[in-house]
Amino acid sequence: MRDEDALARFAVDESGLGRFPPEAAVLPETAEEVAHVLEVAAAHGVPVTPRGTGTGMTGGALPVRGGIVLCTERMTKIRELDVDELIAVVEPGVVTGALQAEVEAAGLFYPPDPASLASCSLGGNVAENAGGPRAFKYGTTREYVLGLDVALMGGERFSCGRRTMKGVTGYDVTAAIVGSEGTFAVATAITLRLLPRPAAVGTLLATFVDAITAGTAVGAILRRGLRPCALELLDRATIEHMRGRGRRLPARAAALLLVEVDGPAESIEAEVERAGGACEEAGALEVVVARSDQERRELWETRRLVNPTLRDTHRRKIPEDIVVPRKAIPEMLRRVDAISAETRIPTATYGHAGDGNLHVNLLVDEPDAEIADRLGRAMDAIMRATLELGGTLAGEHGVGLLKMKYLPWEQSPQLLRVQRELKRVFDPRDLLNPGKILPPA
Ligand code: MLT
Ligand code: ZN
């Protein structure tokens, strides 16, 4: 399609980084069509930006050099669900939540659960190596991708990986493509590893006087040897935004930990009690256990609505996605408060505390021109603090455009060189999702 109105939705994503209209968007339905687009575009030297459903938060799907957006949203078949081998084969446009529903109906489990699972697609999850709350216990998308069918810029196609549980044949090209943010290849089919569905889950909500104390409770839970499937933190600003949205949350809460455990039915209650005990020991004001599926669903709905709520209530929000060692969470939260006070940029911090993965959101209502300097200083300071505390700059949202400038802050020139060469192996003319991840040499 080339119509300007129809193209408008392909000019943006959820990063809020601006509008980058492509010249054309192509919505293939088969692997052959994907390869054909890549072949024709390469022949004419036209850039191609792959796109799933556009829920990315660092600008990975923005066609910054124009050209073609290759959107896989019409490739929505679950081709295979093998309950004996615990494998699913899907097309890249399958929505993550739709696969989960199908898999769970068969008594199986696909753990990766990005907050946007109702709308994000597995192709996008593969490109970004998406995580989510359950990554704490179960790992991120990469742990579940056994194999890929891909097409390269130029139209060449190959399969990599395997359908077996083990396999070390050759370099792990599959793992390299997962998380390459659509800069190496376009996946046309994804072979996923599944698990048996856990028999039971237990969920609790612990209330704290502040996020720093809640951060301390994360350490207390880990020291008890517990492995919840989710350990989520919400700070005061996040809670206030959610209350403003009409979500019911404990009255005294100035910070919350949402903890979920899963496993055999007979052990769940004891696990919930141990997790609650650890929170109390760390100073929780109150621990409330979800008593029904409905209560549990409401808690998770509140959690998943955080990102859209922050986005809807501010002119712009910059979603940081840092990771620090878990013992450094309280110190990182202290530093975020100090940076916010110094730059006068309000923040709301929440995220996957079990992984040390914090979404520090910078909330912007003033016009960019008035605030650009303070915003830049706040972002720089958050990145610097993360690295000083032994962390990494991107946990699960990718580098995209948003973090490109900061990559050399974390990674050595040697490592950047190796990554540039790797990119050249897959895409020597820099036509596939150009202008992402690696800053110009
Ligand atoms: C989340 O955890 O809610 C997602 O990663 C999206 C976000 O950063 O808000
Ligand atoms: Zn997240």
Side-chain angles (χ1 to χ4, degrees):
M1 65 179 70
R2 303 198 59 173
D3 173 66
E4 211 174 297
D5 289 342
L7 286 180
R9 72 184 175 105
F10 300 108
V12 294
D13 66 2
E14 288 191 14
S15 64
L17 287 171
R19 293 190 72 254
F20 297 86
E23 264 94 45
V26 185
L27 285 74
E29 293 182 16
T30 64
E32 291 73 22
E33 288 175 3
V34 171
H36 186 62
V37 174
L38 295 171
E39 185 186 344
V40 174
H44 292 85
V46 173
V48 175
T49 303
R51 178 185 178 103
T53 53
T55 58
M57 309 195 66
T58 52
L62 296 175
V64 289
R65 305 238 172 105
I68 296 171
V69 164
L70 191 163
C71 176
T72 56
E73 69 183 15
R74 290 189 183 162
M75 300 177 73
T76 56
K77 286 194 203 74
I78 297 176
R79 290 197 196 153
E80 197 183 328
L81 194 55
D82 186 331
V83 293
D84 296 320
E85 291 297 328
L86 297 173
I87 280 173
V89 181
V90 302
E91 294 183 349
V94 173
V95 168
T96 309
L99 174 73
Q100 284 175 340
E102 187 102 0
V103 156
E104 284 171 29
L108 303 177
F109 186 43
Y110 177 67
D113 59 343
S116 54
L117 60 85
S119 54
C120 65
S121 65
L122 288 157
N125 293 176
V126 167
E128 299 296 322
N129 186 20
R134 291 197 294 234
F136 176 48
K137 177 171 179 180
Y138 290 104
T140 58
T141 302
R142 182 176 285 122
E143 265 100 336
Y144 296 88
V145 180
L146 292 175
L148 292 169
D149 291 357
V150 298
L152 298 181
M153 197 68 209
E156 192 182 353
R157 290 167 62 192
F158 63 86
S159 302
C160 52
R162 54 198 160 88
R163 284 180 61 102
T164 51
M165 288 301 109
K166 286 172 81 178
V168 292
T169 320
Y171 294 126
D172 196 345
V173 174
T174 312
I177 293 173
V178 178
S180 64
E181 305 190 30
T183 64
F184 283 179
V186 180
T188 56
I190 308 162
T191 303
L192 293 167
R193 180 168 75 91
L194 305 173
L195 299 179
R197 189 178 172 184
V201 287
T203 309
L204 67 85
L205 191 66
T207 295
F208 294 88
V209 280
D210 56 37
I212 292 163
T213 318
T216 314
V218 173
I221 292 172
L222 296 176
R223 272 194 302 281
R224 287 197 176 192
L226 291 168
R227 198 76 186 157
C229 60
L231 189 38
E232 295 286 304
L233 174 110
L234 281 69
D235 80 346
R236 181 197 294 270
T238 306
I239 294 167
E240 279 165 7
H241 276 87
M242 298 319 290
R243 286 205 184 104
R245 239 310 128 100
R247 307 299 300 188
R248 276 189 303 123
L249 289 169
R252 291 187 291 166
L256 290 167
L257 270 191
L258 173 59
V259 187
E260 185 154 284
V261 294
D262 67 357
E266 49 286 5
S267 62
I268 285 298
E269 212 161 307
E271 293 265 305
V272 169
E273 247 169 58
R274 288 177 69 207
C279 290
E280 277 163 357
E281 187 188 286
L285 299 172
E286 186 185 23
V287 174
V288 184
V289 177
R291 286 290 160 210
S292 63
D293 250 10
Q294 169 71 9
E295 276 182 27
R296 176 176 169 262
R297 263 200 307 274
E298 273 172 27
L299 286 174
W300 279 110
E301 199 177 87
T302 302
R303 167 62 186 86
R304 291 205 181 94
L305 282 173
V306 169
N307 171 46
T309 301
L310 294 175
R311 203 181 50 226
D312 293 352
T313 44
H314 295 279
R315 187 181 68 74
R316 191 172 161 210
K317 87 171 174 77
I318 299 173
E320 287 306 341
D321 171 41
I322 56 164
V323 193
V324 292
R326 279 140 338 179
K327 64 177 185 311
I329 292 175
E331 175 60 17
M332 187 67 213
L333 293 167
R334 261 182 227 113
R335 294 200 190 192
V336 169
D337 284 349
I339 293 164
S340 171
E342 196 271 311
T343 56
R344 287 176 289 117
I345 305 277
T347 60
T349 301
Y350 66 95
H352 319 295
D355 293 321
N357 183 192
L358 301 174
H359 299 314
V360 181
N361 288 268
L362 305 174
L363 307 171
V364 181
D365 292 309
E366 298 104 308
D368 272 358
E370 283 173 28
I371 203 176
D373 172 57
R374 283 187 283 138
L375 204 52
R377 276 195 291 121
M379 279 188 57
D380 289 0
I382 290 169
M383 297 296 131
R384 215 170 288 118
T386 303
L387 295 174
E388 277 168 17
L389 294 174
T392 187
L393 301 180
E396 57 174 15
H397 294 170
V399 172
L401 268 189
L402 184 67
K403 302 273 177 67
M404 199 159 72
K405 157 185 166 192
Y406 297 107
L407 212 61
W409 292 25
E410 177 172 339
Q411 301 190 337
S412 67
Q414 293 79 2
L415 179 54
L416 291 173
R417 178 188 63 75
V418 168
Q419 292 179 88
R420 285 197 182 96
E421 286 182 13
L422 209 46
K423 165 71 171 163
R424 273 197 285 274
V425 169
F426 284 94
D427 176 26
R429 291 163 65 205
D430 194 21
L431 288 172
L432 191 62
N433 206 4
K436 306 290 167 63
I437 308 182
L438 297 165

